[in-house]
Amino acid sequence: MKRNILETVFDWIAYVSMIVIFPIIAISGPFVYADSFKEDFWGHIIGIILSIWLSIHIIIGINKSSKLTFVKGLCVTENKEDVLEIIYQNSWTLHQKNKDSYIIAPEGIKTQLNIIFNKEGILVNVISFGKGDMISPFRQLARRNYINTIKDYFEKKYALQ
């Protein structure tokens, strides 16, 4: 995807601020509220651990949202027919159809499946959008479900071949 350099910079500033702000707030809590920290030591420790976990989850979400998943298929024409069947079975919407790729919207405009066809199979990428069309790192389960739906269909169809 070609993007404006300014969009890329602002997206990374937003991602970095989300990743950094949670642990900073959690770790600074004991210094700001020193009296309550002594009383609720484990509560603050759990807050720090949860904020670090959330930051790691955001990093993983951003990383996975830009990856392509390979699904083994048969040939390009057969793979296109299979993808159209998956779209029909799941009531998804085909937004754009090119010679080498499809763009599918399973949940309207907030999620987009990008499918690229090649000789051995298909490459799948699922992008979830948040506020302002910024890529959301918080929908890992939904992404995995869409990819698994496509993988399961192809595995069942081509298991005997």
Side-chain angles (χ1 to χ4, degrees), residues 55-105:
S55 296
I56 290 170
H57 183 73
I58 290 171
I59 292 169
I60 290 170
I62 292 169
N63 188 26
K64 288 195 178 226
S65 68
S66 62
K67 300 255 183 193
L68 290 169
T69 303
F70 178 75
V71 179
K72 183 147 178 58
L74 195 59
C75 67
V76 174
T77 56
E78 188 72 27
N79 293 341
K80 286 183 179 183
E81 291 174 10
D82 293 337
V83 169
L84 289 174
E85 180 64 27
I86 293 169
I87 293 169
Y88 175 74
Q89 286 178 358
N90 294 294
S91 301
W92 295 345
T93 305
L94 180 61
H95 273 286
Q96 187 175 354
K97 183 177 179 180
N98 285 339
K99 183 180 102 174
D100 298 327
S101 65
Y102 288 169
I103 296 177
I104 302 163

Side-chain angles (χ1 to χ4, degrees), residues 1-3 11 15 61-69 95 102-116 124-130 133-140 142-144 146-147 150:
M1 294 183 286
K2 288 194 176 201
R3 300 181 55 169
D11 281 351
Y15 292 144
I62 292 169
N63 188 26
K64 288 195 178 226
S65 68
S66 62
K67 300 255 183 193
L68 290 169
T69 303
H95 273 286
Y102 288 169
I103 296 177
I104 302 163
E107 291 181 6
I109 60 171
K110 289 295 183 183
T111 302
Q112 162 180 316
L113 268 77
N114 302 312
I115 298 179
I116 302 169
V124 182
N125 179 14
V126 181
I127 301 173
S128 298
F129 297 101
D133 290 336
M134 188 168 88
I135 296 173
S136 172
F138 296 109
R139 305 232 14 213
Q140 287 305 310
R143 281 191 203 113
R144 192 174 339 149
Y146 293 132
I147 291 173
I150 294 170

